[in-house]
Amino acid sequence: MVRPAGYEPVQQNEETTVIGSKTVDVMDIEEAKPASEVSKVDQTDLPLRTVALSVVFYAACSSTLLLINKVAMHFVPDASFILFCQFLSSSLTVRVIKYTTPDADIELLRFDKARLFFLACLIFFLCLLANTAALKSVNVETVIVARAGPGGAVSVLEHYALGRSLPSIQGTLALFAIAGGAVIYVISDEGFKIEGYTWLLLYFVFIVTEMVFVKFVVDNVPMSTWTRVYYNNTLSIPMVLVSSFFMGFGGFLKVDWTWRHVAVVALSCVVGAWANMTIGFTCGRWCQPQPSRS
């Protein structure tokens, strides 16, 4: 076989690659690759135990916070105030971690990233606001059913918006079964209140949008998991202050505060911060892109 003039075979060793008469450092080739190709963890290689523990810890935090928020809304029926306390405590917790552990991969607010992340944070806030406000009128079981419902809508929206594959036949049947169960529950709910179900309908719309849009943001705005937690909570603080004016500012001032009220609100803040720390410490180890070699 005749080789073109000047052609030399490719030679490789551990540190360099020789292509023709030019020597290229392998490290330079890796650094030239997109971060998505060289720095992300292959989640298919993760130990099942790691994934299972992360899911269990987050599920425990989420379910516990749901119950505590129901109690908190019973004592202090002001969703904006409850969320403000939780956002503030979670934001301060991440700041403390940043200052006590300087090596932690936590970025403080930067305008360029905050601008790109703002819409995702707004949708995140609206999800929590609708969910918490619904707890004022409906029971916990109803909220759980509403949380189980968006899976099918998310799958379809992901397919058309992000180009992801649709669920398998078995998955589709499971999603229909979940949706059917939700419909049956709503029909048989004796404590039906239009106000509560209005908030749950808004929650459904916001959570479907959030689940898809946040995946787009995560793929396009480089952030560690800890940084996303910090941005979500910190940027939500001014949003919750604005929402309080539209939902009746000062509802918490009308409450006859006792130590029980303070304890319940404080506990909701602790569990909320615990949920964020669970995301940062467990999910953050394998969901976020890892630093590329320098």
Side-chain angles (χ1 to χ4, degrees):
M1 181 176 179
V2 180
R3 295 174 181 161
Y7 175 86
E8 296 293 339
V10 176
Q11 304 173 15
Q12 288 188 322
N13 58 37
E14 188 174 311
E15 298 296 332
T16 61
T17 298
V18 181
I19 305 177
S21 59
K22 297 184 70 175
T23 301
V24 182
D25 194 327
V26 172
M27 300 294 291
D28 292 336
I29 295 177
E30 289 192 357
E31 290 179 355
K33 293 181 180 179
S36 60
E37 295 183 13
V38 296
S39 61
K40 286 189 177 180
V41 175
D42 184 0
Q43 296 183 13
T44 59
D45 294 334
L46 292 170
L48 179 60
R49 180 180 179 184
T50 301
V51 178
L53 284 176
S54 298
V55 172
V56 168
F57 277 128
Y58 180 74
C61 294
S62 180
S63 58
T64 303
L65 185 60
L66 176 60
L67 292 172
I68 292 175
N69 278 346
K70 175 63 177 178
V71 177
M73 286 297 294
H74 173 73
F75 278 88
V76 186
D78 187 340
S80 296
F81 176 73
I82 298 296
L83 289 176
F84 171 78
C85 294
Q86 293 177 359
F87 290 142
L88 181 62
S89 60
S90 295
S91 178
L92 292 176
T93 298
V94 178
R95 286 295 293 262
V96 170
I97 294 173
K98 170 67 176 175
Y99 285 112
T100 57
T101 313
D103 294 335
D105 190 6
I106 302 173
E107 296 181 45
L108 300 183
L109 289 181
R110 290 171 42 189
F111 176 76
D112 56 337
K113 287 192 174 182
R115 177 175 57 85
L116 297 173
F117 201 72
F118 177 80
L119 184 55
C121 183
L122 176 62
I123 300 172
F124 162 80
F125 163 71
L126 292 174
C127 284
L128 294 184
L129 180 64
N131 181 76
T132 306
L135 287 170
K136 183 178 178 180
S137 303
V138 301
N139 54 35
V140 173
E141 292 87 346
T142 305
V143 176
I144 292 174
V145 170
R147 287 187 172 190
V154 170
S155 300
V156 174
L157 188 57
E158 276 189 349
H159 175 69
Y160 289 104
L162 302 179
R164 305 199 177 188
S165 58
L166 290 170
S168 63
I169 295 177
Q170 295 90 334
T172 302
L173 292 175
L175 290 172
F176 272 114
I178 293 173
V183 171
I184 293 172
Y185 180 89
V186 171
I187 294 174
S188 61
D189 185 11
E190 295 180 355
F192 183 91
K193 292 184 179 180
I194 188 64
E195 179 186 359
Y197 275 89
T198 300
W199 280 113
L200 288 179
L201 179 60
L202 291 173
Y203 171 78
F204 180 91
V205 174
F206 292 140
I207 194 65
V208 170
T209 306
E210 194 254 356
M211 285 183 175
V212 177
F213 184 70
V214 165
K215 290 180 181 178
F216 171 79
V217 173
V218 167
D219 289 340
N220 291 275
V221 182
M223 283 184 179
S224 68
T225 304
W226 272 118
T227 301
R228 292 188 196 105
V229 168
Y230 180 69
Y231 272 56
N232 263 336
N233 287 280
T234 305
L235 293 178
S236 294
I237 292 175
M239 296 179 190
V240 78
L241 292 176
V242 172
S243 73
S244 67
F245 286 96
F246 293 95
M247 299 181 65
F249 178 77
F252 67 96
L253 297 176
K254 302 175 183 177
V255 175
D256 294 327
W257 286 86
T258 66
W259 68 268
R260 292 184 178 85
H261 295 75
V262 175
V264 168
V265 173
L267 184 59
S268 73
C269 294
V270 171
V271 177
W274 176 34
N276 284 301
M277 292 177 68
T278 298
I279 297 173
F281 281 123
T282 59
C283 301
R285 293 180 181 178
W286 52 272
C287 291
Q288 71 185 55
Q290 300 300 313
S292 57
R293 291 187 297 176
S294 57

